[in-house]
Amino acid sequence: MRLTPRGWWLLLLAILTIFGGLVGAQAFQWLVSGISDSTAGLPPFMFGSIPALVLLGLSVLIWILYEWLVFAWRTRLATRHLRVTHEVLDGNTPVQRLWAGRTYRVRVELRLERGPELPFAAVMDRVPFGARHAGGSVQTDGRLTPEEPLRIEYQIHCPAVGRVHFDGVRVRLADLQGFFYRPLFVRGPVDLRVLPVLTNDLGLPATEKHHNLLPPPGIHRLKRAGSGSELLDLRDYIPGDPPRTVAWKVSARRDRLITKEFESDVPIRCTLFLDTSNSVRLGLPGANALARVVDVAAAVVQASAGVRDLTGLCVFDDHQVRTTVRPARTKRHVAELLLLLADTGMLPPAAPDVPLEPLLRTGYTFAEETYPHLLEPELNTVPLGLVRGWPEWRQLGHTPSRGRRLGRLIGWGVLTILFTILVLTYYSAIEWMYDDLLPENGIPRPPDYFVLGAFLGMILLSYMPFLRLFTEGLPALFAGRSRKLARWRKQLAALLALRQGLGPGGLGRLLEDNREFSLALQAFLAEHHIPYQLPMFDEQGHYLYGSPGKIDVLARAVVQAIGKGHDNELFVLLVDLTEMTDHLDPLLAAVRLALARHHQVVVICPWPPDVPPPSAHPPEPEQVLAKLLKERNLPQTANPVELRPLVDRLLIARMHQEFHRIRQQFARLRVPVINARSGEPVALVLEHLDRLRGFRSRR
Amino acid sequence: MSTNRETEPSQPLLVRLYVLATIGGLSALFLTLWQHGLAFWAIIPVLAGALGLALRWRGGVAVVLILLGFILLGQGYRHQGGFLAPPLFPSRALERSRAPFALTDLLLAASFLTYAAAQSRLLALTIGIFPTDPRIVAAARARRLVRMRHPRAKPLSPLETLPLPAQRRTARGPEGRELIRLFVGLPIWVALAIPIWLWLRGRRPGLPVSPEWWRAFVVLWGLGFLLIAGRAVFAYLRQATMTVEEARLYLQDVLWQETRAEQRLLNRWLEWARRRARTREKS
């Protein structure tokens, strides 16, 4: 419970009024002319209290105390019985799963199950980051009683596949005068999946001829006898062959029994390899490269299921294969894949070596809103000396604040003065000892080096305690920003250690280990579906998320799929290969193996939404830089603000060039590479599936 | 606000009622001060209050109380024989100050309480019931800069794009109970002040100071005792009603406080070793 400025002022003035009424006149007289002179010869009541003022002050004080007691009692009893419910409605029907691209109504109800009524409660719901606010107010206020709950109703639109997560509602309680208030968060987590949009016509058989029915040169069918409907060959009858396979006309012509052999009727299989490494997760969930490839994968899954083809999915990241689902075509299997894709679509990025301050700011702001009870200073203390000796901030790229620099400057100034005083004092003492003390007592003069050593030793011993005080303590006193960051970090570290069950030493470790703290904080934000932005390049311009390890993971997964696969499968690699062109050999070897087994491979590169798709022959970044510099006539030492668009253009040119190289490498194997933003990836995959089908059934 | 009670027709009635109550409180204050013998000085706090009402000024109540204190202090100082009292302050009969209090003193307290309560509730309805949140101000400023395409505009963080919480109380229909409670409560607070004042007045000094100063010390000690006792009681209640999560956090914090120097030493060595391993791995 907190006192508002309005409450503070009235309380302070009420107390001052009481004191003014009791001793105001006397104090004023005492200040003006001295109490002893002024009271001489006057009756005692002349300097008595002023009842009107005392009664006025006492009345106000009693009123405030009453309001405080009632508010504290009500909030303490009632807050334990507050419950919140979230209901998402499609029309008038509550739903548990949402579909991308549709709008839903959200109904929130805050109920007080029992306890005293709350005279004023302001309730606010946070629109989940996986959805977009599409109308209606997200807040309300009023009196809250067990009989009369507070309700909010608004609309959300789900733009992308993923999850929609409601944590609870933010509630602020206050008395009617606005003297006291208490912020709290009523938790009632609800997590709903947003499934990919259902495709209508993608799965239908093509009505137009999009491709040549003959297989392209260099690709041959794998003929194998089976129980299909297409004729493969004719051979002599072997006893035991079913009579229905006998080719009667041919047998009559040749005068011996001939049997028909049919092709193996192996269904078309398509395996999707979905890259969920950090490089595709960058950006806001639902609006990043991963969201687009998830859309593509979902469309392919549904289209394949529509024509009874089998589809499998392999989800991998930088280090391992996260999930593998074998190809199948049942409805349950399709639903399983869609759920898996919905979960995958909202995966957040995680990078340990990133600047901590922006993350800390986002994390603390969110925690302050959602976990105010766990940040209370009574439970989550912040010792005064916490900021002292906090060198890690500098290693994280945190520049010392102006206050801290000023404090350090003052500290060194004081230290210099102190040092001079110490030197002069000790020098005077030695001089007195040499000139007066020793001759008077007849003591022989000690050697000079002994005196010099003692002199320096005394100075050092006296000086050292002050050194830390003035170089660390004083700067910390002036560094409001550092103190604030240190407080945030300590309180958040305690919260994270508690929520993530890090044990007794977890808090201490999170305070000292920046990587651990960064990862724990990112996991915390991801748990609550709070987006956070991470830098893509380090200070030297190196791409931070290029992970050669994922190429090996993918190559192993492809080889494994080939080993378990059947004839003529399609492998769709939805993988980000940017900045990987030097590490592609294992993947190229795996693709060669797949092609040798008569499978087909398609590569679809996830593409950031804010980067334009590349042209067929993108220019080199150096050419782009030269052209831009010439166009804008920029000097070499230009303003960073002016350089920003230039750097952006260069990065885009670099991406285009990288994509071009990837295409070149795969073109040698005749494997098409397209980016997920352009080139209609779903159509390409379906065309390949249709072509595979055509190898068997169409002549 | 989109709620089930939003479109009630009598929305501004509550505001009008509190405006009336504020005006009533100010009028009563003026009459009481006049009766108190303050003549035209009575108009000053009332004018300040009226200005605060018209401008919906947050500091109106505080200024009225300060002015009241100043005027009553000046009046008391003059009629108690202060030599430097402004001659403009009228003086009452000296005999009146022998009584513990006058009826006008009670009326004065009641009228001020009426004014203060009504004005505060009116401000809660029209200006804001919650204190200004610096984060809201910062978010609003950041959005304004982005909207104006100001050179100092920074990209908004996702949390800054959320709707800002309302600061005002929504005026709904006339809440009869809250008005009744207010007007019933006011005389009670004034009545409760009387025995406390009488008790205070009967205190004899236990130290060589004047009775007035002794009363002031008693009030000071009383407030201090209330503060300490209240804090202790609420701290106990807080601990007694902790959730499991809060209790675990509290224990974790106690452990960390007791061992933080040792933990820091160990973890810094470990961190140093990890950094060195990473550097070696890179090189």
Side-chain angles (χ1 to χ4, degrees):
Chain A
M1 194 182 73
R2 300 169 192 178
L3 205 58
T4 62
R6 193 182 300 165
W8 269 116
W9 274 108
L10 202 60
L11 180 65
L12 184 72
L13 287 172
I15 294 171
L16 284 179
T17 308
I18 296 171
F19 282 102
L22 286 172
V23 292
Q26 207 173 37
F28 189 48
Q29 180 68 24
W30 182 62
L31 282 174
V32 172
S33 55
I35 190 103
S36 56
D37 298 336
S38 62
T39 52
L42 288 170
F45 64 82
M46 295 293 281
F47 285 88
S49 307
I50 303 165
L53 265 184
V54 180
L55 282 171
L56 175 62
L58 280 174
S59 305
V60 175
L61 189 66
I62 291 169
W63 176 43
I64 293 176
L65 283 177
Y66 167 79
E67 293 287 345
W68 172 56
L69 277 173
V70 169
F71 184 74
W73 170 71
R74 277 179 170 161
T75 53
R76 199 161 290 280
L77 285 183
T79 48
R80 281 184 291 171
H81 304 297
L82 285 175
R83 301 286 180 270
V84 65
T85 51
H86 278 86
E87 207 173 27
V88 182
L89 306 162
D90 187 3
N92 289 320
T93 316
V95 287
Q96 296 298 319
R97 284 173 188 161
L98 314 179
W99 297 97
R102 295 193 63 175
T103 303
Y104 297 89
R105 274 194 303 143
V106 180
R107 191 184 287 161
V108 188
E109 188 174 281
L110 180 72
R111 276 178 291 109
L112 178 62
E113 289 192 331
R114 61 176 187 274
E117 69 164 54
L118 294 166
F120 180 73
V123 187
M124 184 175 180
D125 193 23
R126 181 169 60 76
V127 179
F129 282 104
R132 204 173 57 229
H133 184 219
S137 174
V138 294
Q139 47 190 322
T140 186
D141 63 79
R143 194 176 67 227
L144 186 60
T145 61
E147 296 81 33
E148 199 175 6
L150 286 171
R151 292 196 187 92
I152 304 173
E153 201 165 301
Y154 60 94
Q155 289 87 45
I156 55 168
H157 179 77
C158 302
V161 176
R163 278 171 177 271
V164 164
H165 183 80
F166 298 93
D167 266 318
V169 290
R170 182 184 179 186
V171 181
R172 291 175 300 164
L173 308 173
D175 65 321
L176 293 177
Q177 286 78 224
F179 292 158
F180 310 97
Y181 81 103
R182 184 178 177 190
L184 55 107
F185 192 84
V186 182
R187 292 185 62 75
V190 173
D191 200 49
L192 301 171
R193 283 194 178 99
V194 183
L195 298 177
V197 62
L198 285 177
T199 51
N200 294 326
D201 52 1
L202 275 174
L204 297 177
T207 52
E208 296 174 20
K209 179 185 175 186
H210 288 296
H211 56 82
N212 197 339
L213 291 178
L214 289 173
I219 295 180
H220 301 281
R221 288 162 44 206
L222 180 66
K223 292 176 182 177
R224 184 180 292 173
S227 56
S229 56
E230 296 295 326
L231 184 65
L232 177 69
D233 204 356
L234 295 171
R235 62 168 169 79
D236 286 344
Y237 176 79
I238 300 172
D241 282 342
R244 68 184 174 86
T245 60
V246 174
W248 296 110
K249 284 185 180 173
V250 181
S251 299
R253 259 197 310 273
R254 298 187 186 178
D255 201 19
R256 66 177 191 275
L257 280 173
I258 300 294
T259 304
K260 288 185 281 189
E261 269 190 344
F262 295 97
E263 278 186 358
S264 169
D265 193 10
V266 180
I268 305 294
R269 288 162 183 266
C270 172
T271 307
L272 305 166
F273 295 85
L274 184 60
D275 178 11
T276 59
S277 61
N278 276 319
S279 59
V280 293
R281 297 186 205 174
L282 286 172
L284 298 178
N288 52 12
L290 180 61
R292 175 64 185 146
V293 286
V294 163
D295 277 345
V296 171
V300 171
V301 167
Q302 293 180 67
S304 301
V307 290
R308 295 186 53 75
D309 285 340
L310 291 86
T311 315
L313 180 65
C314 170
V315 181
F316 66 98
D317 60 16
D318 301 297
H319 309 292
Q320 60 182 347
V321 172
R322 292 165 64 96
T323 319
T324 305
V325 182
R326 297 288 306 278
R329 60 183 164 198
T330 59
K331 283 184 179 173
R332 187 173 176 172
H333 173 78
V334 173
E336 187 187 349
L337 288 188
L338 293 183
L339 292 179
L340 182 60
L341 287 171
D343 291 345
T344 308
M346 285 297 278
L347 284 175
D353 295 315
V354 291
L356 205 50
E357 196 180 324
L359 273 180
L360 195 59
R361 196 172 290 278
T362 306
Y364 193 81
T365 310
F366 173 70
E368 218 175 10
E369 186 191 324
T370 314
Y371 295 96
H373 60 294
L374 297 181
L375 298 181
E376 284 177 9
E378 291 89 9
L379 301 179
N380 201 341
T381 54
V382 183
L384 277 177
L386 187 67
V387 73
R388 187 171 59 81
W390 200 276
E392 286 78 10
W393 295 106
R394 233 172 294 158
Q395 293 160 6
L396 287 165
H398 168 77
T399 50
S401 64
R402 196 177 294 171
R404 193 159 184 147
R405 285 200 294 269
L406 176 70
R408 194 174 295 158
L409 196 70
I410 294 173
W412 279 110
V414 173
L415 276 176
T416 312
I417 296 168
L418 193 71
F419 186 76
T420 314
I421 293 170
L422 280 175
V423 168
L424 290 175
T425 310
Y426 289 136
Y427 182 77
S428 308
I430 288 170
E431 204 175 47
W432 169 74
M433 192 176 73
Y434 269 23
D435 295 348
D436 301 334
L437 188 67
L438 297 181
E440 280 174 11
N441 295 298
I443 301 170
R445 191 178 161 141
D448 284 349
Y449 63 84
F450 177 78
V451 176
L452 185 67
F455 177 67
L456 291 175
M458 282 166 71
I459 286 177
L460 275 179
L461 279 176
S462 320
Y463 187 64
M464 286 308 284
F466 294 102
L467 192 68
R468 198 164 178 194
L469 178 68
F470 285 102
T471 53
E472 289 179 7
L474 200 63
L477 193 69
F478 280 87
R481 183 161 162 256
S482 299
R483 272 208 316 276
K484 186 176 73 179
L485 290 174
R487 177 169 60 86
W488 286 2
R489 177 158 179 174
K490 193 279 154 180
Q491 291 198 313
L492 263 184
L495 175 62
L496 296 176
L498 176 77
R499 285 198 56 81
Q500 296 174 5
L502 299 183
L507 172 56
R509 185 172 179 194
L510 290 181
L511 279 176
E512 302 299 331
D513 190 337
N514 292 325
R515 284 169 63 96
E516 281 292 322
F517 181 73
S518 175
L519 287 174
L521 187 51
Q522 288 173 44
F524 171 71
L525 290 172
E527 180 194 344
H528 293 89
H529 296 244
I530 302 296
Y532 50 92
Q533 296 201 331
L534 299 174
M536 287 181 73
F537 298 91
D538 65 6
E539 288 172 353
Q540 281 78 39
H542 297 137
Y543 186 59
L544 283 171
Y545 304 98
S547 168
K550 78 176 171 188
I551 298 294
D552 293 327
V553 173
L554 175 60
R556 277 199 303 273
V558 171
V559 171
Q560 202 172 6
I562 294 167
K564 291 182 179 176
H566 295 70
D567 301 337
N568 298 1
E569 288 200 17
L570 176 64
F571 295 125
V572 183
L573 312 184
L574 299 147
V575 56
D576 178 25
L577 300 171
T578 316
E579 308 273 345
M580 294 279 170
T581 42
D582 299 334
H583 305 91
L584 285 181
D585 291 341
L587 182 60
L588 291 173
V591 170
R592 268 190 215 104
L593 179 63
L595 295 174
R597 297 283 182 94
H598 302 277
H599 301 306
Q600 292 204 14
V601 180
V602 173
V603 179
I604 297 172
C605 278
W607 200 255
D610 48 351
V611 177
S615 60
H617 301 288
E620 290 287 338
E622 290 78 14
Q623 294 170 356
V624 174
L625 177 66
K627 189 181 168 191
L628 284 172
L629 286 174
K630 194 177 172 185
E631 272 177 9
R632 302 183 179 216
N633 197 19
L634 283 172
Q636 284 188 339
T637 54
N639 186 338
V641 178
E642 293 174 359
L643 284 176
R644 180 66 193 267
L646 195 138
V647 172
D648 288 347
R649 290 278 296 274
L650 275 179
L651 291 176
I652 290 170
R654 183 167 147 178
M655 279 201 78
H656 287 176
Q657 197 59 40
E658 276 290 315
F659 182 70
H660 185 63
R661 280 190 204 133
I662 295 164
R663 285 186 86 155
Q664 279 181 331
Q665 297 220 24
F666 280 93
R668 291 182 194 127
L669 306 177
R670 307 182 68 170
V671 171
V673 177
I674 60 165
N675 74 66
R677 288 278 153 196
S678 64
E680 297 183 6
V682 180
L684 180 78
V685 174
L686 295 183
E687 188 182 319
H688 272 75
L689 281 173
D690 215 21
R691 193 179 288 177
L692 279 175
R693 196 172 297 115
F695 294 163
R696 297 202 188 93
S697 59
R698 298 176 187 174
R699 303 253 176 201
Chain B
M1 303 279 161
S2 73
T3 64
N4 49 342
R5 295 180 293 179
E6 185 187 357
T7 51
E8 287 177 12
S10 53
Q11 190 175 347
L13 188 59
L14 194 60
V15 176
R16 287 207 298 272
L17 282 174
Y18 278 123
V19 169
L20 282 177
T22 311
I23 293 171
L26 281 174
S27 311
L29 192 66
F30 174 73
L31 291 174
T32 316
L33 287 174
W34 187 275
Q35 182 63 26
H36 212 264
L38 274 164
F40 79 96
W41 284 96
I43 203 80
I44 294 176
V46 176
L47 270 181
L51 203 67
L53 173 65
L55 301 177
R56 303 282 191 267
W57 182 26
R58 283 172 190 262
V61 177
V63 168
V64 169
L65 187 55
I66 290 169
L67 285 172
L68 265 180
F70 176 71
I71 290 169
L72 289 172
L73 198 62
Q75 187 198 30
Y77 179 63
R78 175 163 170 78
H79 88 250
Q80 287 170 3
F83 303 116
L84 295 177
L88 285 172
F89 285 112
S91 173
R92 290 187 306 176
L94 288 180
E95 286 74 15
R96 287 191 64 182
S97 61
R98 291 176 193 275
F101 58 88
L103 184 63
T104 49
D105 298 341
L106 301 180
L107 289 176
L108 180 76
S111 52
F112 176 77
L113 280 187
T114 309
Y115 159 71
Q119 171 79 354
S120 302
R121 290 184 179 199
L122 184 64
L123 286 176
L125 285 164
T126 53
I127 301 293
I129 191 166
F130 299 110
T132 311
D133 190 340
R135 288 175 303 166
I136 295 175
V137 176
R141 192 187 302 131
R143 287 184 199 186
R144 198 168 53 247
L145 288 177
V146 169
R147 212 169 36 242
M148 290 164 60
R149 297 183 180 176
H150 197 273
R152 286 169 63 194
K154 290 177 185 170
L156 296 175
S157 74
L159 288 172
E160 280 175 329
T161 58
L162 296 175
L164 298 177
Q167 295 293 94
R168 280 185 293 187
R169 176 186 169 202
T170 309
R172 302 195 193 287
E175 304 272 358
R177 273 192 298 180
E178 72 175 64
L179 288 164
I180 292 168
R181 276 181 192 170
L182 174 68
F183 291 118
V184 168
L186 292 177
I188 296 176
W189 317 140
V190 179
L192 278 175
I194 297 170
I196 296 175
W197 164 236
L198 291 177
W199 179 81
L200 260 182
R201 203 167 178 271
R203 295 300 94 200
R204 293 286 165 260
L207 292 171
V209 290
S210 65
E212 290 75 31
W213 281 102
W214 179 251
R215 286 174 204 150
F217 287 145
V218 169
V219 170
L220 202 64
W221 291 331
L223 286 176
F225 173 76
L226 265 181
L227 193 72
I228 293 168
R231 188 171 170 78
V233 168
F234 277 106
Y236 171 75
L237 284 176
R238 177 84 180 91
Q239 288 205 346
T241 55
M242 264 184 196
T243 59
V244 175
E245 199 177 34
E246 288 166 348
R248 281 177 58 206
L249 180 72
Y250 177 74
L251 291 175
Q252 174 186 281
D253 210 68
V254 170
L255 174 73
W256 176 74
Q257 291 239 14
E258 295 291 329
T259 60
R260 73 187 170 106
E262 291 80 7
Q263 285 198 44
R264 184 170 59 202
L265 192 69
L266 283 171
N267 281 310
R268 286 195 176 181
W269 275 110
L270 285 170
E271 174 64 4
W272 173 80
R274 281 188 219 110
R275 276 172 194 266
R276 196 176 62 159
R278 280 201 296 272
T279 314
R280 283 183 177 172
E281 197 179 319
K282 277 182 188 172
S283 61

